[in-house]
């Protein structure tokens, strides 16, 4: 005989089904044979749910052990209609009404209601009751089960509340929000999406969203999305999205993956931002910038041409005029480097070196006697995006030197030194031989402010000026990776 295994009677509530099985009167439990009545009794007593048996008239005459473990009751107290004592008084009338109806009609019973545990707490149970029909066609038994679903209902309620808050938040956001399952199936769009597109609710679920894109942008958007799904990398692409008016507007689409505790992608959260107005403004600004630059370069060319036409025919004067025209042409090239650029207007492709860039910018200031400047030190490659802010600062320093500094004097000199110190690149600009400096300027001009923005904000570096008596000294420090 297997000995009884004791358990703690204090284990109640949602832990009732975890109580150990107690076996006392079954000697043949280990015999591999067809299930006997003992096996069925063992199952009924210890199945991890509450169950019971009633007569055809609803009188309950047997409860399994799990029922008494949970309720802390005794068979005598529960027999017949004693079960009403563990029901919540507010719910009991409805339970009685439904149970009486089933007894009268013979229909199965299903209902969710709370039952009081041994600790006095009420927890909700899903109750199901089915009739057993005898040979004469009448109900001879009712078999009932009570399965606790309190935890499940609590989680579902919390999830529903959380989703409700998320829905309110996303619907209030001034841009379109969407989400997908890990495989990319779109299952949610906020109110702004439907407001922008004007499509029926749910019509863009799944892969229906792709039809909202301009046909010329669908392939790129789909390619980027598939790449993100395959690699887990963030999704970002610009495309034209069909507006409810029928017109297509430029939109910036972005999405980030949400990972679970195991690092697996559980969902993608994305946004669509209407950038049509900003994109059109950027195109207009770019056209104006290129037109202005074109006109400035034309002015340089006209000035160089007028110098050539006005120069005397003597060889010495002609040489002077040619040198002056050459310097003006170089100034035009320097201007082209220093002005802001878009990908369409970049003056060079790929990378250049820092020394070559500075040399191009300083070329206009050469004289027949030589270069009033010297570029020394190390060199490093400079990309397209970082070339413009560096060029702007060098150009600003050179033009100010011509007006106020070393280059305004025949004896003036400029030393430009490049030093690579680990991850940092230091560019030193040092003037000498020009007018003496008595004090720093009282006001910073627009060019000075633009130089600070170029180095500090665009390149994440620093720009420090020292107004020494014998000439301006500037230290520009930028991370090599930013160049």
């Amino acid at each position: 005989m297997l000995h009884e295994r004791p358990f703690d009677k204090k284990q109640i509530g949602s832990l009732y089904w975890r109580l150990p099985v107690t076996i006392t009167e079954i000697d043949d439990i280990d015999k591999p044979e067809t299930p006997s009545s003992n096996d069925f009794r063992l199952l009924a007593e210890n199945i991890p749910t509450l169950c019971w048996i009633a007569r055809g008239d609803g009188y309950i005459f047997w409860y399994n052990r799990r029922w008494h473990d949970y309720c802390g009751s005794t068979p005598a107290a529960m027999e017949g209609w004693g079960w009403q004592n563990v029901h919540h008084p507010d719910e009991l009338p409805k339970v009685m009404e439904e149970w009486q109806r089933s007894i009268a009609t013979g229909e199965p019973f299903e209902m969710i209601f709370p039952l009081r545990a041994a600790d006095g707490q009420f927890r909700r149970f899903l109750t199901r009751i089915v009739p057993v029909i005898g040979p004469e066609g009448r109900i001879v038994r009712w078999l009932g089960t009570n399965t606790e679903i309190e935890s499940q209902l609590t989680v579902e309620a919390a999830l529903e509340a959380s989703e409700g808050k998320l829905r309110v938040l996303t619907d209030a956001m001034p841009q379109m929000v969407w989400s997908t399952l890990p495989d990319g199936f779109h299952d949610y769009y906020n109110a702004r999406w439907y407001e922008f597109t004007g499509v029926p609710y749910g019509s863009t679920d799944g892969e229906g969203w792709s039809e909202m894109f301009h046909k010329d942008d669908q392939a790129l958007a789909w390619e980027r999305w598939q790449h993100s799904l395959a690699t887990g990398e963030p999704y970002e692409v610009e495309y034209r999205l069909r507006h409810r008016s029928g017109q297509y507007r430029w939109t910036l689409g972005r999405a980030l993956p949400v990972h679970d505790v195991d690092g697996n992608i559980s969902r993608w959260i994305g946004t669509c931002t209407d950038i049509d107005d900003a994109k059109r403004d950027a195109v207009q600004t770019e056209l104006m910038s290129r037109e202005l630059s074109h006109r400035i370069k034309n002015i340089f060319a006209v000035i160089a041409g007028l110098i050539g036409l006005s120069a005397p025919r003597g060889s010495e004067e002609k040489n002077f005029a040619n040198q002056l025209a050459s310097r003006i042409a170089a100034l035009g090239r320097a201007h082209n480097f220093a002005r802001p650029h878009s990908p369409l207007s970049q003056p060079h492709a790929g990378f250049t070196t820092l020394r070559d860039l500075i040399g191009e910018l300083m070329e206009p200031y050469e004289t027949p006697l030589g270069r009033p400047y010297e570029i020394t030190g190390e060199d490093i490659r400079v990309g397209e995006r970082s070339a413009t802010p560096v060029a702007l600062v060098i150009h600003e320093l050179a033009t100010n030197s011509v007006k106020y500094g070393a280059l305004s004097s025949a004896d003036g000199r400029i030393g430009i030194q490049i030093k690579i110190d680990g991850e940092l690149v230091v560019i030193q600009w040092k003037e000498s031989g020009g007018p003496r400096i008595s004090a720093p300027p009282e006001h910073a001009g627009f060019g000075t402010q633009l130089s600070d923005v170029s180095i500090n904000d665009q390149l994440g570096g620093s720009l420090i000026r020292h107004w020494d008596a014998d000439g301006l000294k500037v230290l520009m420090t930028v991370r090599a990776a930013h160049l």
Side-chain angles (χ1 to χ4, degrees), residues 391-414:
L392 189 149
V393 175
I394 297 297
H395 186 61
E396 179 67 19
L397 290 172
T399 54
N400 282 342
S401 182
V402 170
K403 292 187 287 185
Y404 316 113
L407 295 184
S408 68
S409 172
D411 298 327
R413 302 285 297 174
I414 295 176

Side-chain angles (χ1 to χ4, degrees), residues 166-471:
L166 177 62
R167 190 175 299 108
V168 170
L169 176 63
T170 56
D171 284 346
M173 293 178 66
Q175 66 178 18
M176 294 167 273
V177 179
W178 48 269
S179 70
T180 79
L181 301 178
D183 62 0
F185 184 92
H186 287 67
D187 62 351
Y188 170 76
Y189 295 91
N190 73 338
R192 298 288 84 76
W193 167 269
Y194 294 108
E195 180 182 283
F196 179 92
T197 60
V199 299
Y201 181 85
S203 62
T204 50
D205 288 355
E207 296 180 2
W209 57 274
S210 62
E211 298 300 322
M212 301 300 299
F213 295 170
H214 192 284
K215 63 180 181 179
D216 295 339
D217 303 331
Q218 289 180 9
L220 176 61
W222 184 254
E223 178 185 350
R224 294 277 181 86
W225 181 229
Q226 291 298 315
H227 175 77
S228 294
L229 292 177
T231 63
E233 296 177 5
Y235 170 76
E236 181 170 328
V237 65
E238 292 183 5
Y239 47 73
R240 283 162 290 183
L241 187 65
R242 189 172 69 234
H243 187 256
R244 63 178 179 273
S245 64
Q247 298 179 341
Y248 285 90
R249 294 181 63 84
W250 280 103
T251 304
L252 174 61
R254 285 175 171 161
L256 291 174
V258 178
H259 296 88
D260 59 23
V261 293
D262 297 322
N264 300 315
I265 295 177
S266 60
R267 181 163 287 276
W268 287 84
I269 303 296
T271 60
C272 297
T273 306
D274 186 349
I275 59 171
D276 195 77
D277 292 339
K279 199 172 183 70
R280 294 180 189 277
D281 290 344
V283 170
Q284 184 66 25
T285 300
E286 168 67 11
L287 289 175
M288 293 178 63
S289 175
R290 294 174 69 179
E291 172 66 17
L292 180 60
S293 178
H294 176 70
R295 294 192 181 196
I296 292 175
K297 287 191 290 184
N298 280 346
I299 291 174
F300 285 132
V302 169
I303 293 174
L306 290 175
I307 291 173
L309 291 174
S310 304
R313 295 185 179 275
S315 60
E316 184 175 345
E317 291 84 356
K318 192 69 175 178
N319 287 338
F320 172 78
N322 289 339
Q323 291 174 3
L324 182 57
S326 177
R327 294 181 70 182
I328 290 174
L331 191 61
R333 292 194 299 273
H335 156 76
N336 200 38
F337 268 106
R339 80 172 184 88
H341 287 282
S342 72
L344 296 176
S345 65
Q346 287 289 349
H348 59 85
F351 288 85
T352 186
T353 70
L354 187 55
R355 292 187 64 163
D356 288 344
L357 176 63
I358 295 175
E360 185 80 19
L361 294 163
M362 295 303 296
E363 183 182 346
Y365 307 100
E366 295 184 9
T367 70
L369 300 178
R371 296 177 176 177
Y373 62 88
E374 183 180 16
I375 304 173
T376 61
E378 302 167 90
D379 204 0
I380 188 173
R381 294 205 308 168
V382 179
E384 293 177 354
R385 293 187 177 182
S386 53
T388 297
V390 172
L392 189 149
V393 175
I394 297 297
H395 186 61
E396 179 67 19
L397 290 172
T399 54
N400 282 342
S401 182
V402 170
K403 292 187 287 185
Y404 316 113
L407 295 184
S408 68
S409 172
D411 298 327
R413 302 285 297 174
I414 295 176
I416 305 172
Q417 183 184 47
I418 302 171
K419 181 180 180 181
I420 301 176
D421 185 9
E423 297 181 352
L424 301 178
V425 177
V426 181
I427 306 172
Q428 177 180 274
W429 172 284
K430 186 175 181 180
E431 300 186 22
S432 61
R436 301 285 292 179
I437 298 176
S438 59
E442 295 182 359
H443 303 287
F446 176 74
T448 299
Q449 298 175 23
L450 196 59
S451 297
D452 291 339
V453 169
S454 298
I455 299 300
N456 297 339
D457 296 346
Q458 294 186 5
L459 294 181
S462 64
L463 191 150
I464 302 175
R465 300 175 182 83
H466 297 281
W467 301 94
D468 299 338
D470 58 347

Side-chain angles (χ1 to χ4, degrees), residues 4-9 11 15-24 41-52 62-75:
E4 180 176 350
R5 291 177 289 173
F7 59 88
D8 186 357
K9 291 291 186 179
Q11 294 181 347
L15 296 179
Y16 72 92
W17 62 272
R18 297 178 183 271
L19 293 176
V21 176
T22 302
I23 302 172
T24 57
R41 182 162 59 86
L42 179 66
L43 173 65
E45 289 288 356
N46 298 284
I47 191 171
T49 190
L50 283 58
C51 62
W52 44 269
W62 176 85
Y63 295 88
N64 74 339
R65 174 197 165 194
R66 296 300 185 186
W67 173 280
H68 297 300
D69 289 340
Y70 174 80
C71 296
S73 59
T74 63

